[in-house]
Amino acid sequence: MFAAVETATWAWVGQIFFGFFLICWGGYKVSLLARRPKPAFVPRHRRVRVRA
């Protein structure tokens, strides 16, 4: 943990924006993991037959 007694205002603002970015990025990644899995592979080659 780092704690500075006196820091510039721009440093605080930068840390706030960076923290907000990380929180949003983490939420985005969680939403990707929580989505439904992709459907099974569907072959598109004409010689590959799909069994029904």
Side-chain angles (χ1 to χ4, degrees):
M1 177 182 269
F2 175 76
V5 178
E6 293 185 19
T7 56
T9 305
W10 63 267
W12 281 27
V13 172
Q15 289 177 7
I16 290 169
F17 280 124
F18 187 65
F20 184 71
F21 167 75
L22 289 178
I23 290 170
C24 291
W25 179 76
Y28 170 71
K29 288 296 188 176
V30 166
S31 72
L32 287 179
L33 290 172
R35 288 183 190 170
R36 294 171 140 184
K38 291 184 178 180
F41 173 72
V42 178
R44 296 185 182 183
H45 194 275
R46 61 184 169 187
R47 286 185 256 166
V48 178
R49 296 182 183 167
V50 179
R51 295 180 185 181

